[in-house]
Amino acid sequence: MNHAVGKPLWNRFLVLNCANEIISSKRLGRMKKIIGLAIAAAFGLSACSNLDHKTAHEVMSISNDRILKEDHSFNITGSSRVYISPLAEAVLADEKVEKKAEVKAEDGKAKAGDAAASMEATQEDDAALKQEFSEREEAEFRNAMLDALPDGSIAQVAVDYLDKYPAISSYMEGVHLNYESAVDLSTRQFELIPELAIDNHNEKLSVKLPMKLDAAKWEVYVDPPASVSAIVNAFTDENIGKRLIKEPLKLSLKEIGDSKGVPFDHIAEAGVRAFLSANKAMPVDAYVFKEMDAFGKANHARYRVRHVMKPEYDSVVMKAMAKAFDEELSKLQKTPQPGSTEEDYKNAREFFSMFVSISDNRPLSFQRIFGNNPVVDYYLDRKGRMLASRMYIQINGTHKAINIIGDNVYSNYGKPVFKLNPQGKGITWRELKESFGSDKKQED
């Protein structure tokens, strides 16, 4: 190689390469700035959009608000199962349960004695039961009836009974109650398809009962299983029998009794809003964050929020619900439903208040019957959307425990899938009733 010629070429290569490096550096600098801004923006948006800085109570309030504002239509797939476990292995969610059978037994004997005395006193004066009780007296009476039973006796007897019959326990574990649900608050369409599923030794069974409520028209559709249709057809005429094969039963709620002026739509809307807003009235410590588990990870959840359904929360929620319902119905009443009078709205408020009062005073709490409070875990995404939930309750016996778990998975937000689409068709109660008494059937 000629070094005299090679050197200028080499120098030219170095100059061009340096120039390219300078240009590339400038471009890279601009690219770095752009990428840096994009990353900063992404982190900024992430920080603003997630709820890491919120308390568990605030996260649940945001989740409830989403149902009314954004997440008002969705599907739910649920399944509940039961299994028996030794008491030592029983787990209430992720907290170990301490055995307190001896304390319960002693307390139960004392209350059993009080029960006998209470029954004798009650039998002496039956007329006292026929008087009209005030709400407070009625609540006290029902509390006394429940207190007459040994604490947890109903549940403990059931668990101990199953412990003696392992074949029954095994059979129960093969029985599941599943359901599919579709909700669309914007069109007021609600669907529920419960399923009794049995999968045991030499035995498989699946029975479904699809139901749909069209709250816009206040019509209920029920599509019975083929076995039910076959039994009903034995008492109806041939025409109804053919329709039962494909058509559901149809019931118009507006035709029941004297309900022409009842503002159904406004009652439903106020009820939903009241239920969701009442959850905000819970004490701050009613919700707590829990470490993510396998169920939450499988459903891509970011937050796991736990709520223990304690009896002391009932009164708080019911009172808040009554107040919220009254406020929501008052707003809706400003543009009353056609045909609904002020008296109809007043009756709606009174009925709801009565329902709340009864629920508020109910003594039959889970804790008093089963010995434990139900535990609910909610699984949410980073924006508070509900992805799944799980309810757990444990019933302790002397040596064994019944564990009941119910899982729910939410999907299809904004595009719920309805499987029962009657499109107005259905056998009305009037048609069914007339068919039962038809001349043709009488001749048969």
Side-chain angles (χ1 to χ4, degrees):
M1 179 178 179
N2 190 333
H3 291 282
V5 177
K7 192 171 183 179
L9 289 174
W10 177 250
N11 289 338
R12 185 180 299 176
F13 171 77
L14 290 176
V15 171
L16 291 174
N17 188 55
C18 290
N20 286 331
E21 287 292 331
I22 293 171
I23 294 171
S24 298
S25 297
K26 290 182 178 179
R27 288 177 179 172
L28 184 60
R30 287 197 298 270
M31 288 299 294
K32 285 182 178 179
K33 289 181 180 179
I34 294 171
I35 293 171
L37 290 172
I39 293 173
F43 276 108
L45 289 173
S46 176
C48 293
S49 61
N50 68 39
L51 306 175
D52 291 346
H53 58 291
K54 302 287 185 180
T55 65
H57 191 282
E58 289 173 330
V59 168
M60 289 306 302
S61 295
I62 291 171
S63 183
N64 286 331
D65 288 340
R66 286 185 64 93
I67 295 177
L68 293 174
K69 297 176 182 178
E70 302 170 74
D71 299 337
H72 47 67
S73 58
F74 47 85
N75 283 105
I76 309 175
T77 303
S79 178
S80 60
R81 58 193 183 278
V82 177
Y83 68 91
I84 313 298
S85 68
L87 194 64
E89 297 177 5
V91 178
L92 180 57
D94 57 4
E95 299 169 4
K96 293 292 182 181
V97 177
E98 297 178 0
K99 185 177 178 181
K100 299 179 180 179
E102 294 181 359
V103 176
K104 286 187 177 181
E106 293 177 0
D107 188 43
K109 290 179 182 179
K111 290 186 178 179
D114 294 338
S118 177
M119 286 297 293
E120 291 177 2
T122 302
Q123 291 173 355
E124 290 176 359
D125 188 10
D126 289 339
L129 299 177
K130 298 179 181 179
Q131 65 178 326
E132 294 184 0
F133 291 131
S134 66
E135 292 179 0
R136 180 177 178 182
E137 289 171 333
E138 184 179 354
E140 290 176 352
F141 177 72
R142 285 182 292 167
N143 274 317
M145 291 178 64
L146 191 65
D147 286 337
L149 297 169
D151 187 25
S153 64
I154 300 174
Q156 185 168 338
V157 168
V159 177
D160 291 344
Y161 179 85
L162 291 173
D163 190 22
K164 296 179 181 178
Y165 300 94
I168 298 178
S169 301
S170 177
Y171 188 87
M172 286 181 58
E173 292 180 2
V175 178
H176 289 191
L177 179 61
N178 306 323
Y179 78 90
E180 297 176 70
S181 179
V183 177
D184 192 340
L185 295 177
S186 60
T187 60
R188 294 174 180 154
Q189 305 287 310
F190 307 91
E191 181 181 80
L192 177 64
I193 307 178
E195 176 192 20
L196 176 64
I198 300 176
D199 186 0
N200 276 310
H201 180 64
N202 293 335
E203 183 178 74
K204 291 185 185 296
L205 177 67
S206 173
V207 180
K208 296 183 179 181
L209 183 62
M211 296 175 283
K212 185 175 183 180
L213 167 63
D214 185 345
K217 298 179 180 178
W218 280 96
E219 294 175 343
V220 177
Y221 296 87
V222 180
D223 193 14
S227 57
V228 174
S229 298
I231 294 171
V232 171
N233 185 212
F235 302 95
T236 60
D237 59 31
E238 182 180 354
N239 180 48
I240 290 294
K242 290 179 178 179
R243 293 178 63 188
L244 280 167
I245 297 174
K246 295 182 179 180
E247 290 187 48
L249 302 176
K250 177 182 176 181
L251 178 64
S252 177
L253 297 179
K254 291 185 177 181
E255 295 178 359
I256 298 176
D258 185 18
S259 59
K260 293 182 179 180
V262 177
F264 285 109
D265 289 2
H266 285 175
I267 291 173
E269 185 174 347
V272 171
R273 291 181 177 275
F275 173 76
L276 293 172
S277 61
N279 289 330
K280 297 180 181 180
M282 287 280 190
V284 176
D285 59 352
Y287 299 102
V288 294
F289 285 118
K290 284 290 181 179
E291 184 178 352
M292 192 59 64
D293 57 5
F295 181 65
K297 291 177 181 177
N299 288 284
H300 311 290
R302 183 183 182 94
Y303 306 103
R304 177 187 177 196
V305 180
R306 170 162 297 174
H307 171 55
V308 180
M309 299 173 65
K310 297 180 180 179
E312 53 264 36
Y313 296 155
D314 290 349
S315 178
V316 176
V317 172
M318 289 299 170
K319 290 177 181 177
M321 190 183 297
K323 181 181 178 182
F325 180 83
D326 185 69
E327 292 175 352
E328 292 294 338
L329 195 63
S330 296
K331 293 177 184 177
L332 296 170
Q333 189 179 352
K334 293 178 181 179
T335 54
Q337 280 188 213
S340 298
T341 64
E342 186 174 344
E343 184 70 18
D344 292 324
Y345 280 90
K346 179 182 177 182
N347 292 336
R349 287 189 181 85
E350 291 179 352
F351 179 80
F352 191 84
S353 297
M354 180 181 68
F355 167 76
V356 169
S357 178
I358 292 174
S359 301
D360 187 22
N361 293 318
R362 63 185 177 188
L364 299 175
S365 69
F366 282 100
Q367 185 184 41
R368 300 185 67 182
I369 295 178
F370 302 132
N372 290 313
N373 294 311
V375 174
V376 184
D377 283 351
Y378 298 100
Y379 299 86
L380 316 172
D381 70 5
R382 64 187 181 86
K383 293 184 179 180
R385 170 176 283 181
M386 187 74 66
L387 299 178
S389 64
R390 168 174 281 174
M391 176 180 280
Y392 183 96
I393 187 167
Q394 182 188 98
I395 307 170
N396 295 329
T398 305
H399 305 291
K400 297 289 182 70
I402 295 179
N403 306 273
I404 304 172
I405 298 178
D407 293 339
N408 294 312
V409 177
Y410 296 72
S411 62
N412 299 330
Y413 278 99
K415 296 180 180 180
V417 177
F418 288 84
K419 295 187 175 181
L420 179 59
N421 295 300
Q423 297 180 340
K425 295 181 180 180
I427 302 170
T428 65
W429 173 249
R430 180 177 296 178
E431 290 176 318
L432 193 62
K433 185 178 179 181
E434 290 175 353
S435 179
F436 270 92
S438 65
D439 294 336
K440 185 179 184 302
K441 182 52 60 179
Q442 289 176 3
E443 290 175 2
D444 294 342

